[in-house]
Structure formats: structure tokens, C-alpha cells
Short mmCIF file of all heavy atoms in Angstrom, two decimals:
data_model
loop_
_atom_site.label_atom_id
_atom_site.label_comp_id
_atom_site.label_asym_id
_atom_site.label_seq_id
_atom_site.Cartn_x
_atom_site.Cartn_y
_atom_site.Cartn_z
N MET A 1 0.84 -1.18 0.00
CA MET A 1 0.00 0.00 0.00
C MET A 1 0.88 1.24 0.00
O MET A 1 1.85 1.32 0.75
CB MET A 1 -0.90 -0.05 1.24
CG MET A 1 -1.93 1.05 1.33
SD MET A 1 -3.22 1.13 0.06
CE MET A 1 -3.91 -0.50 0.12
N ASP A 2 0.55 2.21 -0.82
CA ASP A 2 1.30 3.46 -0.91
C ASP A 2 0.85 4.40 0.20
O ASP A 2 -0.30 4.87 0.21
CB ASP A 2 1.06 4.08 -2.29
CG ASP A 2 1.67 5.45 -2.42
OD1 ASP A 2 2.78 5.67 -1.91
OD2 ASP A 2 1.02 6.32 -3.03
N ALA A 3 1.73 4.68 1.14
CA ALA A 3 1.39 5.51 2.30
C ALA A 3 0.96 6.91 1.89
O ALA A 3 0.07 7.50 2.51
CB ALA A 3 2.58 5.57 3.26
N GLY A 4 1.55 7.45 0.84
CA GLY A 4 1.18 8.79 0.38
C GLY A 4 -0.26 8.87 -0.10
O GLY A 4 -0.98 9.81 0.22
N SER A 5 -0.69 7.88 -0.84
CA SER A 5 -2.08 7.84 -1.31
C SER A 5 -3.05 7.68 -0.16
O SER A 5 -4.10 8.32 -0.11
CB SER A 5 -2.27 6.68 -2.30
OG SER A 5 -1.48 6.85 -3.43
N VAL A 6 -2.71 6.82 0.79
CA VAL A 6 -3.57 6.61 1.96
C VAL A 6 -3.65 7.90 2.76
O VAL A 6 -4.73 8.31 3.20
CB VAL A 6 -3.04 5.45 2.82
CG1 VAL A 6 -3.84 5.32 4.10
CG2 VAL A 6 -3.07 4.14 2.03
N ARG A 7 -2.52 8.57 2.95
CA ARG A 7 -2.52 9.85 3.69
C ARG A 7 -3.44 10.85 3.02
O ARG A 7 -4.26 11.49 3.68
CB ARG A 7 -1.11 10.43 3.78
CG ARG A 7 -1.10 11.78 4.53
CD ARG A 7 0.19 12.54 4.32
NE ARG A 7 0.51 12.82 2.94
CZ ARG A 7 0.01 13.85 2.23
NH1 ARG A 7 -0.84 14.69 2.76
NH2 ARG A 7 0.37 14.03 0.98
N ARG A 8 -3.34 10.99 1.71
CA ARG A 8 -4.17 11.96 0.99
C ARG A 8 -5.66 11.64 1.15
O ARG A 8 -6.47 12.56 1.30
CB ARG A 8 -3.79 12.02 -0.48
CG ARG A 8 -2.49 12.79 -0.73
CD ARG A 8 -2.21 13.00 -2.20
NE ARG A 8 -1.88 11.77 -2.91
CZ ARG A 8 -0.70 11.17 -2.90
NH1 ARG A 8 0.29 11.69 -2.20
NH2 ARG A 8 -0.49 10.07 -3.58
N ARG A 9 -6.02 10.37 1.13
CA ARG A 9 -7.44 10.00 1.27
C ARG A 9 -7.99 10.30 2.66
O ARG A 9 -9.18 10.56 2.81
CB ARG A 9 -7.63 8.51 0.95
CG ARG A 9 -7.64 8.21 -0.52
CD ARG A 9 -8.16 6.82 -0.81
NE ARG A 9 -7.28 5.76 -0.38
CZ ARG A 9 -6.22 5.33 -1.06
NH1 ARG A 9 -5.88 5.90 -2.21
NH2 ARG A 9 -5.47 4.34 -0.60
N HIS A 10 -7.15 10.27 3.68
CA HIS A 10 -7.62 10.42 5.06
C HIS A 10 -7.20 11.73 5.72
O HIS A 10 -7.57 11.98 6.87
CB HIS A 10 -7.11 9.24 5.89
CG HIS A 10 -7.69 7.93 5.46
ND1 HIS A 10 -8.90 7.49 5.90
CD2 HIS A 10 -7.22 6.98 4.60
CE1 HIS A 10 -9.16 6.31 5.34
NE2 HIS A 10 -8.15 5.98 4.56
N GLU A 11 -6.46 12.57 5.02
CA GLU A 11 -5.90 13.78 5.62
C GLU A 11 -6.96 14.70 6.21
O GLU A 11 -6.84 15.15 7.36
CB GLU A 11 -5.05 14.53 4.60
CG GLU A 11 -4.33 15.72 5.19
CD GLU A 11 -3.30 16.29 4.24
OE1 GLU A 11 -3.42 16.10 3.01
OE2 GLU A 11 -2.38 16.93 4.74
N SER A 12 -8.02 14.99 5.49
CA SER A 12 -9.02 15.93 6.01
C SER A 12 -9.71 15.37 7.25
O SER A 12 -9.99 16.11 8.20
CB SER A 12 -10.03 16.31 4.94
OG SER A 12 -10.75 15.19 4.49
N GLN A 13 -9.96 14.08 7.27
CA GLN A 13 -10.57 13.44 8.44
C GLN A 13 -9.63 13.56 9.65
O GLN A 13 -10.06 13.90 10.75
CB GLN A 13 -10.87 11.97 8.16
CG GLN A 13 -11.31 11.20 9.39
CD GLN A 13 -11.07 9.70 9.27
OE1 GLN A 13 -10.52 9.23 8.28
NE2 GLN A 13 -11.46 8.97 10.29
N LEU A 14 -8.34 13.29 9.44
CA LEU A 14 -7.37 13.37 10.54
C LEU A 14 -7.23 14.80 11.05
O LEU A 14 -7.18 15.04 12.25
CB LEU A 14 -6.02 12.82 10.09
CG LEU A 14 -5.96 11.32 9.83
CD1 LEU A 14 -4.68 10.95 9.11
CD2 LEU A 14 -6.12 10.54 11.13
N LEU A 15 -7.19 15.77 10.13
CA LEU A 15 -7.03 17.17 10.53
C LEU A 15 -8.25 17.70 11.27
O LEU A 15 -8.15 18.71 11.98
CB LEU A 15 -6.74 18.03 9.30
CG LEU A 15 -5.35 17.87 8.70
CD1 LEU A 15 -5.25 18.59 7.37
CD2 LEU A 15 -4.28 18.34 9.67
N SER A 16 -9.39 17.05 11.15
CA SER A 16 -10.58 17.49 11.87
C SER A 16 -10.60 17.02 13.32
O SER A 16 -11.43 17.47 14.11
CB SER A 16 -11.84 16.99 11.16
OG SER A 16 -12.00 15.59 11.33
N LEU A 17 -9.68 16.14 13.70
CA LEU A 17 -9.63 15.63 15.07
C LEU A 17 -9.01 16.66 16.02
O LEU A 17 -8.15 17.45 15.61
CB LEU A 17 -8.83 14.32 15.12
CG LEU A 17 -9.42 13.16 14.33
CD1 LEU A 17 -8.45 11.98 14.32
CD2 LEU A 17 -10.77 12.76 14.88
N PRO A 18 -9.42 16.65 17.30
CA PRO A 18 -8.87 17.60 18.27
C PRO A 18 -7.35 17.49 18.39
O PRO A 18 -6.81 16.39 18.39
CB PRO A 18 -9.53 17.20 19.60
CG PRO A 18 -10.72 16.38 19.22
CD PRO A 18 -10.40 15.75 17.90
N ASP A 19 -6.68 18.62 18.47
CA ASP A 19 -5.23 18.74 18.68
C ASP A 19 -4.37 18.32 17.48
O ASP A 19 -3.15 18.44 17.54
CB ASP A 19 -4.77 17.96 19.93
CG ASP A 19 -5.24 18.61 21.22
OD1 ASP A 19 -5.25 19.85 21.28
OD2 ASP A 19 -5.59 17.88 22.15
N VAL A 20 -4.97 17.82 16.39
CA VAL A 20 -4.18 17.44 15.22
C VAL A 20 -3.86 18.71 14.44
O VAL A 20 -4.74 19.48 14.08
CB VAL A 20 -4.92 16.42 14.33
CG1 VAL A 20 -4.16 16.17 13.04
CG2 VAL A 20 -5.14 15.11 15.08
N ILE A 21 -2.56 18.92 14.15
CA ILE A 21 -2.15 20.13 13.43
C ILE A 21 -1.40 19.83 12.14
O ILE A 21 -1.06 20.74 11.40
CB ILE A 21 -1.30 21.04 14.34
CG1 ILE A 21 -0.15 20.28 14.96
CG2 ILE A 21 -2.16 21.66 15.42
CD1 ILE A 21 0.74 21.13 15.83
N GLY A 22 -1.17 18.56 11.86
CA GLY A 22 -0.49 18.21 10.61
C GLY A 22 -0.46 16.72 10.37
O GLY A 22 -0.63 15.93 11.30
N VAL A 23 -0.26 16.36 9.11
CA VAL A 23 -0.19 14.95 8.70
C VAL A 23 0.94 14.82 7.69
O VAL A 23 1.08 15.67 6.81
CB VAL A 23 -1.53 14.49 8.07
CG1 VAL A 23 -1.46 13.03 7.67
CG2 VAL A 23 -2.70 14.72 9.02
N GLY A 24 1.73 13.79 7.81
CA GLY A 24 2.83 13.58 6.88
C GLY A 24 3.18 12.11 6.76
O GLY A 24 2.49 11.24 7.29
N ILE A 25 4.28 11.85 6.08
CA ILE A 25 4.78 10.49 5.90
C ILE A 25 6.16 10.41 6.56
O ILE A 25 6.98 11.31 6.41
CB ILE A 25 4.92 10.14 4.39
CG1 ILE A 25 3.58 10.27 3.68
CG2 ILE A 25 5.51 8.75 4.20
CD1 ILE A 25 2.53 9.29 4.15
N GLY A 26 6.39 9.33 7.28
CA GLY A 26 7.68 9.10 7.91
C GLY A 26 8.08 7.65 7.74
O GLY A 26 7.45 6.90 6.98
N ARG A 27 9.11 7.26 8.42
CA ARG A 27 9.57 5.87 8.39
C ARG A 27 9.76 5.39 9.82
O ARG A 27 10.24 6.12 10.66
CB ARG A 27 10.87 5.74 7.61
CG ARG A 27 10.68 6.07 6.14
CD ARG A 27 11.77 5.48 5.29
NE ARG A 27 11.54 5.77 3.88
CZ ARG A 27 10.85 4.98 3.07
NH1 ARG A 27 10.36 3.86 3.50
NH2 ARG A 27 10.67 5.32 1.80
N ASP A 28 9.41 4.12 10.06
CA ASP A 28 9.61 3.54 11.38
C ASP A 28 11.06 3.07 11.52
O ASP A 28 11.88 3.26 10.61
CB ASP A 28 8.60 2.42 11.65
CG ASP A 28 8.77 1.20 10.75
OD1 ASP A 28 9.81 1.08 10.05
OD2 ASP A 28 7.86 0.35 10.75
N ASP A 29 11.38 2.46 12.63
CA ASP A 29 12.75 2.02 12.90
C ASP A 29 13.26 1.00 11.90
O ASP A 29 14.47 0.88 11.67
CB ASP A 29 12.85 1.43 14.31
CG ASP A 29 12.65 2.49 15.39
OD1 ASP A 29 12.86 3.69 15.10
OD2 ASP A 29 12.28 2.11 16.51
N ALA A 30 12.35 0.25 11.28
CA ALA A 30 12.74 -0.75 10.28
C ALA A 30 12.78 -0.17 8.87
O ALA A 30 13.11 -0.87 7.92
CB ALA A 30 11.77 -1.94 10.33
N GLY A 31 12.42 1.10 8.70
CA GLY A 31 12.45 1.74 7.40
C GLY A 31 11.15 1.68 6.63
O GLY A 31 11.07 2.18 5.52
N ALA A 32 10.10 1.11 7.23
CA ALA A 32 8.79 1.05 6.56
C ALA A 32 8.07 2.38 6.68
O ALA A 32 8.21 3.08 7.69
CB ALA A 32 7.94 -0.06 7.17
N GLU A 33 7.32 2.74 5.65
CA GLU A 33 6.57 4.00 5.68
C GLU A 33 5.45 3.95 6.71
O GLU A 33 4.79 2.92 6.88
CB GLU A 33 5.98 4.31 4.31
CG GLU A 33 6.99 4.76 3.30
CD GLU A 33 6.34 5.27 2.03
OE1 GLU A 33 5.34 4.66 1.58
OE2 GLU A 33 6.83 6.27 1.49
N VAL A 34 5.24 5.08 7.38
CA VAL A 34 4.14 5.25 8.31
C VAL A 34 3.50 6.61 8.03
O VAL A 34 4.12 7.49 7.43
CB VAL A 34 4.60 5.19 9.79
CG1 VAL A 34 5.19 3.85 10.12
CG2 VAL A 34 5.56 6.31 10.11
N ILE A 35 2.26 6.76 8.46
CA ILE A 35 1.61 8.05 8.40
C ILE A 35 1.84 8.72 9.75
O ILE A 35 1.47 8.18 10.80
CB ILE A 35 0.11 7.90 8.11
CG1 ILE A 35 -0.09 7.28 6.73
CG2 ILE A 35 -0.60 9.26 8.21
CD1 ILE A 35 -1.53 6.89 6.41
N ASP A 36 2.48 9.88 9.73
CA ASP A 36 2.73 10.64 10.95
C ASP A 36 1.58 11.63 11.14
O ASP A 36 1.23 12.37 10.22
CB ASP A 36 4.05 11.41 10.87
CG ASP A 36 5.25 10.53 11.07
OD1 ASP A 36 5.15 9.52 11.79
OD2 ASP A 36 6.32 10.86 10.51
N VAL A 37 1.00 11.63 12.33
CA VAL A 37 -0.03 12.59 12.68
C VAL A 37 0.54 13.46 13.79
O VAL A 37 0.86 12.99 14.87
CB VAL A 37 -1.33 11.88 13.15
CG1 VAL A 37 -2.38 12.91 13.55
CG2 VAL A 37 -1.87 10.98 12.04
N TYR A 38 0.70 14.75 13.48
CA TYR A 38 1.32 15.69 14.41
C TYR A 38 0.23 16.32 15.28
O TYR A 38 -0.76 16.84 14.76
CB TYR A 38 2.08 16.77 13.64
CG TYR A 38 3.15 16.17 12.76
CD1 TYR A 38 2.95 16.03 11.39
CD2 TYR A 38 4.34 15.70 13.30
CE1 TYR A 38 3.91 15.45 10.58
CE2 TYR A 38 5.31 15.12 12.50
CZ TYR A 38 5.09 15.01 11.14
OH TYR A 38 6.05 14.43 10.35
N VAL A 39 0.42 16.24 16.60
CA VAL A 39 -0.55 16.77 17.54
C VAL A 39 0.13 17.77 18.47
O VAL A 39 1.34 17.71 18.69
CB VAL A 39 -1.21 15.65 18.38
CG1 VAL A 39 -2.01 14.71 17.49
CG2 VAL A 39 -0.19 14.87 19.18
N GLN A 40 -0.67 18.69 19.02
CA GLN A 40 -0.12 19.66 19.96
C GLN A 40 0.33 18.96 21.23
O GLN A 40 1.37 19.29 21.79
CB GLN A 40 -1.16 20.73 20.30
CG GLN A 40 -1.40 21.68 19.17
CD GLN A 40 -2.34 22.81 19.56
OE1 GLN A 40 -2.76 22.93 20.71
NE2 GLN A 40 -2.67 23.64 18.60
N ARG A 41 -0.47 18.00 21.68
CA ARG A 41 -0.12 17.29 22.91
C ARG A 41 -0.68 15.88 22.85
O ARG A 41 -1.72 15.65 22.23
CB ARG A 41 -0.66 18.01 24.14
CG ARG A 41 -2.16 18.15 24.13
CD ARG A 41 -2.65 19.10 25.23
NE ARG A 41 -4.08 19.30 25.08
CZ ARG A 41 -5.02 18.57 25.67
NH1 ARG A 41 -4.67 17.57 26.47
NH2 ARG A 41 -6.29 18.83 25.49
N ALA A 42 0.02 14.96 23.46
CA ALA A 42 -0.46 13.58 23.53
C ALA A 42 -1.54 13.49 24.61
O ALA A 42 -1.36 14.01 25.71
CB ALA A 42 0.70 12.64 23.84
N VAL A 43 -2.63 12.83 24.27
CA VAL A 43 -3.74 12.63 25.21
C VAL A 43 -4.02 11.13 25.25
O VAL A 43 -4.16 10.50 24.20
CB VAL A 43 -5.00 13.39 24.74
CG1 VAL A 43 -6.18 13.11 25.66
CG2 VAL A 43 -4.73 14.89 24.65
N PRO A 44 -4.08 10.55 26.44
CA PRO A 44 -4.38 9.11 26.52
C PRO A 44 -5.72 8.79 25.85
O PRO A 44 -6.67 9.57 25.95
CB PRO A 44 -4.45 8.84 28.03
CG PRO A 44 -3.69 9.95 28.67
CD PRO A 44 -3.88 11.14 27.77
N ARG A 45 -5.77 7.66 25.16
CA ARG A 45 -6.99 7.24 24.45
C ARG A 45 -8.21 7.24 25.37
O ARG A 45 -9.30 7.61 24.95
CB ARG A 45 -6.77 5.83 23.90
CG ARG A 45 -6.87 5.74 22.44
CD ARG A 45 -6.62 4.30 22.02
NE ARG A 45 -5.57 4.27 21.04
CZ ARG A 45 -5.80 4.37 19.74
NH1 ARG A 45 -7.00 4.44 19.29
NH2 ARG A 45 -4.80 4.37 18.90
N ARG A 46 -8.01 6.82 26.61
CA ARG A 46 -9.15 6.72 27.54
C ARG A 46 -9.76 8.09 27.84
O ARG A 46 -10.89 8.16 28.30
CB ARG A 46 -8.72 6.03 28.82
CG ARG A 46 -7.74 6.83 29.64
CD ARG A 46 -7.33 6.12 30.93
NE ARG A 46 -6.38 6.93 31.66
CZ ARG A 46 -5.08 6.93 31.48
NH1 ARG A 46 -4.55 6.13 30.57
NH2 ARG A 46 -4.29 7.71 32.19
N ASP A 47 -9.03 9.17 27.59
CA ASP A 47 -9.52 10.51 27.87
C ASP A 47 -10.18 11.16 26.65
O ASP A 47 -10.62 12.31 26.73
CB ASP A 47 -8.38 11.41 28.36
CG ASP A 47 -7.85 10.96 29.71
OD1 ASP A 47 -8.55 10.19 30.42
OD2 ASP A 47 -6.73 11.38 30.07
N LEU A 48 -10.23 10.46 25.52
CA LEU A 48 -10.81 11.01 24.29
C LEU A 48 -12.18 10.40 24.02
O LEU A 48 -12.44 9.25 24.38
CB LEU A 48 -9.90 10.70 23.10
CG LEU A 48 -8.54 11.39 23.09
CD1 LEU A 48 -7.67 10.81 21.99
CD2 LEU A 48 -8.71 12.89 22.90
N ASP A 49 -13.04 11.17 23.37
CA ASP A 49 -14.31 10.62 22.90
C ASP A 49 -14.01 9.59 21.82
O ASP A 49 -12.99 9.69 21.11
CB ASP A 49 -15.19 11.73 22.31
CG ASP A 49 -15.66 12.72 23.36
OD1 ASP A 49 -15.77 12.33 24.54
OD2 ASP A 49 -15.91 13.87 22.99
N LEU A 50 -14.90 8.63 21.65
CA LEU A 50 -14.68 7.55 20.69
C LEU A 50 -14.38 8.08 19.29
O LEU A 50 -13.48 7.61 18.63
CB LEU A 50 -15.90 6.62 20.65
CG LEU A 50 -15.77 5.40 19.77
CD1 LEU A 50 -14.57 4.55 20.18
CD2 LEU A 50 -17.04 4.57 19.82
N GLY A 51 -15.09 9.10 18.83
CA GLY A 51 -14.87 9.64 17.49
C GLY A 51 -13.66 10.53 17.35
O GLY A 51 -13.35 11.01 16.27
N ALA A 52 -12.95 10.79 18.45
CA ALA A 52 -11.82 11.71 18.43
C ALA A 52 -10.47 11.00 18.49
O ALA A 52 -9.44 11.64 18.57
CB ALA A 52 -11.92 12.70 19.59
N THR A 53 -10.48 9.67 18.43
CA THR A 53 -9.22 8.94 18.53
C THR A 53 -8.55 8.80 17.17
O THR A 53 -9.21 8.68 16.14
CB THR A 53 -9.43 7.54 19.13
OG1 THR A 53 -10.36 6.82 18.32
CG2 THR A 53 -9.95 7.62 20.55
N ILE A 54 -7.24 8.80 17.18
CA ILE A 54 -6.45 8.60 15.97
C ILE A 54 -6.26 7.09 15.81
O ILE A 54 -5.84 6.42 16.76
CB ILE A 54 -5.09 9.32 16.10
CG1 ILE A 54 -5.32 10.83 16.20
CG2 ILE A 54 -4.18 8.97 14.91
CD1 ILE A 54 -4.08 11.62 16.57
N PRO A 55 -6.56 6.55 14.64
CA PRO A 55 -6.45 5.10 14.45
C PRO A 55 -5.00 4.63 14.49
O PRO A 55 -4.07 5.40 14.22
CB PRO A 55 -7.06 4.87 13.08
CG PRO A 55 -6.95 6.17 12.37
CD PRO A 55 -7.01 7.24 13.43
N ASP A 56 -4.81 3.36 14.83
CA ASP A 56 -3.47 2.76 14.84
C ASP A 56 -2.95 2.52 13.42
O ASP A 56 -1.74 2.47 13.20
CB ASP A 56 -3.48 1.43 15.59
CG ASP A 56 -3.75 1.61 17.08
OD1 ASP A 56 -3.31 2.62 17.64
OD2 ASP A 56 -4.38 0.72 17.66
N ALA A 57 -3.87 2.35 12.47
CA ALA A 57 -3.50 2.11 11.08
C ALA A 57 -4.64 2.58 10.18
O ALA A 57 -5.80 2.65 10.61
CB ALA A 57 -3.24 0.62 10.84
N LEU A 58 -4.29 2.93 8.95
CA LEU A 58 -5.26 3.30 7.93
C LEU A 58 -4.96 2.47 6.69
O LEU A 58 -3.85 2.54 6.16
CB LEU A 58 -5.17 4.79 7.60
CG LEU A 58 -5.61 5.74 8.70
CD1 LEU A 58 -5.15 7.16 8.39
CD2 LEU A 58 -7.13 5.69 8.85
N GLU A 59 -5.93 1.69 6.27
CA GLU A 59 -5.77 0.84 5.09
C GLU A 59 -4.50 0.00 5.14
O GLU A 59 -3.81 -0.19 4.15
CB GLU A 59 -5.81 1.69 3.81
CG GLU A 59 -7.12 2.45 3.62
CD GLU A 59 -7.14 3.26 2.35
OE1 GLU A 59 -6.60 2.81 1.31
OE2 GLU A 59 -7.71 4.38 2.37
N GLY A 60 -4.16 -0.45 6.34
CA GLY A 60 -2.98 -1.29 6.52
C GLY A 60 -1.67 -0.55 6.73
O GLY A 60 -0.64 -1.16 6.99
N VAL A 61 -1.69 0.78 6.64
CA VAL A 61 -0.49 1.58 6.86
C VAL A 61 -0.48 2.03 8.32
O VAL A 61 -1.44 2.65 8.78
CB VAL A 61 -0.44 2.82 5.93
CG1 VAL A 61 0.80 3.66 6.20
CG2 VAL A 61 -0.49 2.39 4.47
N PRO A 62 0.58 1.73 9.08
CA PRO A 62 0.64 2.15 10.48
C PRO A 62 0.58 3.67 10.62
O PRO A 62 1.09 4.41 9.77
CB PRO A 62 1.99 1.63 10.96
CG PRO A 62 2.39 0.59 9.98
CD PRO A 62 1.77 0.99 8.67
N VAL A 63 -0.05 4.11 11.71
CA VAL A 63 -0.15 5.54 12.02
C VAL A 63 0.64 5.79 13.30
O VAL A 63 0.51 5.07 14.28
CB VAL A 63 -1.63 5.95 12.21
CG1 VAL A 63 -1.73 7.39 12.70
CG2 VAL A 63 -2.40 5.78 10.91
N ARG A 64 1.47 6.83 13.26
CA ARG A 64 2.29 7.20 14.42
C ARG A 64 1.88 8.61 14.86
O ARG A 64 1.84 9.53 14.06
CB ARG A 64 3.76 7.17 14.03
CG ARG A 64 4.72 7.61 15.09
CD ARG A 64 6.16 7.38 14.70
NE ARG A 64 6.49 8.02 13.42
CZ ARG A 64 7.62 7.81 12.75
NH1 ARG A 64 8.52 6.97 13.24
NH2 ARG A 64 7.85 8.41 11.61
N VAL A 65 1.56 8.76 16.15
CA VAL A 65 1.21 10.07 16.71
C VAL A 65 2.49 10.74 17.19
O VAL A 65 3.27 10.15 17.94
CB VAL A 65 0.21 9.92 17.87
CG1 VAL A 65 -0.09 11.27 18.49
CG2 VAL A 65 -1.08 9.26 17.37
N VAL A 66 2.71 11.98 16.72
CA VAL A 66 3.94 12.71 17.04
C VAL A 66 3.57 14.02 17.75
O VAL A 66 3.10 14.96 17.11
CB VAL A 66 4.75 13.03 15.76
CG1 VAL A 66 6.04 13.75 16.11
CG2 VAL A 66 5.01 11.77 14.95
N PRO A 67 3.73 14.10 19.09
CA PRO A 67 3.45 15.35 19.78
C PRO A 67 4.53 16.37 19.49
O PRO A 67 5.72 16.08 19.64
CB PRO A 67 3.43 14.97 21.26
CG PRO A 67 3.75 13.52 21.35
CD PRO A 67 4.07 13.01 19.98
N ILE A 68 4.13 17.59 19.06
CA ILE A 68 5.13 18.61 18.72
C ILE A 68 4.90 19.93 19.45
O ILE A 68 5.64 20.88 19.25
CB ILE A 68 5.20 18.86 17.20
CG1 ILE A 68 3.88 19.35 16.64
CG2 ILE A 68 5.68 17.62 16.48
CD1 ILE A 68 3.97 19.81 15.19
N GLY A 69 3.87 19.99 20.28
CA GLY A 69 3.60 21.23 21.01
C GLY A 69 2.84 22.23 20.15
O GLY A 69 2.42 21.93 19.04
N GLU A 70 2.67 23.42 20.69
CA GLU A 70 1.92 24.47 20.00
C GLU A 70 2.75 25.04 18.86
O GLU A 70 3.95 25.29 19.02
CB GLU A 70 1.55 25.57 20.98
CG GLU A 70 0.61 26.58 20.38
CD GLU A 70 0.14 27.61 21.42
OE1 GLU A 70 0.23 27.33 22.62
OE2 GLU A 70 -0.32 28.67 20.98
N VAL A 71 2.11 25.25 17.75
CA VAL A 71 2.78 25.83 16.58
C VAL A 71 2.32 27.28 16.43
O VAL A 71 1.12 27.56 16.44
CB VAL A 71 2.43 25.04 15.29
CG1 VAL A 71 3.05 25.70 14.08
CG2 VAL A 71 2.89 23.60 15.43
N THR A 72 3.27 28.20 16.34
CA THR A 72 2.95 29.61 16.14
C THR A 72 3.76 30.15 14.99
O THR A 72 4.86 29.68 14.68
CB THR A 72 3.27 30.43 17.41
OG1 THR A 72 4.66 30.28 17.73
CG2 THR A 72 2.43 29.97 18.60
N ALA A 73 3.20 31.16 14.34
CA ALA A 73 3.90 31.81 13.23
C ALA A 73 5.04 32.67 13.78
O ALA A 73 4.91 33.28 14.83
CB ALA A 73 2.94 32.69 12.43
N GLN A 74 6.14 32.68 13.07
CA GLN A 74 7.30 33.49 13.48
C GLN A 74 7.43 34.68 12.54
O GLN A 74 7.31 34.56 11.34
CB GLN A 74 8.60 32.64 13.39
CG GLN A 74 8.59 31.41 14.26
CD GLN A 74 8.58 31.75 15.73
OE1 GLN A 74 9.35 32.58 16.18
NE2 GLN A 74 7.68 31.11 16.47
N GLY A 75 7.67 35.84 13.11
CA GLY A 75 7.85 37.05 12.31
C GLY A 75 9.27 37.15 11.79
O GLY A 75 10.16 36.42 12.19
N ASN A 76 9.50 38.09 10.88
CA ASN A 76 10.84 38.30 10.32
C ASN A 76 11.73 39.02 11.28
O ASN A 76 11.65 39.89 11.89
CB ASN A 76 10.76 39.08 9.01
CG ASN A 76 10.16 38.21 7.93
OD1 ASN A 76 10.17 37.00 8.03
ND2 ASN A 76 9.63 38.83 6.91
#
């Protein structure tokens, strides 16, 4: 499965979830492609509503949650 195609099909759905601020493609420790979902902060699954959880995989492609903190625009 092509991770880029899967990401494109699910990107808008992922971006609509709470705290999600970006979606990309990365590689795991073995070099396999994963879909990276960038969030402001990691929240335990048990603290999220059922419809607000990030899936472990999409169409067979693993999903990795990457907490990156708050993103702000930087001036010149």
C-alpha cells in the first residue's frame, strides 16, 4: 500500500480531530513507511471521545502520533 495515497485519502478526516495540526509520511525504525499525525499534545486514548481517537492504522499503513507542542507563526 502506498502511504502517500492513503494519507491523501484520510488527511481531512485526521485534521478534523482535536489537537491534530499536521499529517505527513515518515519511516519507522525498520524503514517502513508510516503516516505521521502531528498533535499539539499527547492525550491518553481513555480521555478522548470515541470519534476523536487517531487510528493505529489506515488501510494497513501504520499511524504514528507525534506530539510537537503548540505551533505559532514566526515574524521576520
Side-chain angles (χ1 to χ4, degrees):
M1 186 63 55
D2 174 39
S5 297
V6 174
R7 179 195 58 82
R8 284 188 292 280
R9 281 194 291 279
H10 295 275
E11 186 169 23
S12 62
Q13 172 203 3
L14 291 168
L15 288 171
S16 72
L17 297 173
D19 290 322
V20 173
I21 52 179
V23 181
I25 301 295
R27 294 201 178 269
D28 66 12
D29 292 338
E33 286 189 321
V34 298
I35 296 172
D36 283 330
V37 179
Y38 302 102
V39 297
Q40 288 186 4
R41 60 190 174 91
V43 176
R45 241 179 234 270
R46 67 180 179 274
D47 294 343
L48 293 170
D49 293 333
L50 184 58
T53 58
I54 296 170
D56 293 326
L58 292 166
E59 299 181 37
V61 178
V63 173
R64 176 173 55 191
V65 177
V66 182
I68 60 171
E70 188 175 340
V71 176
T72 58
Q74 300 294 313
N76 289 339

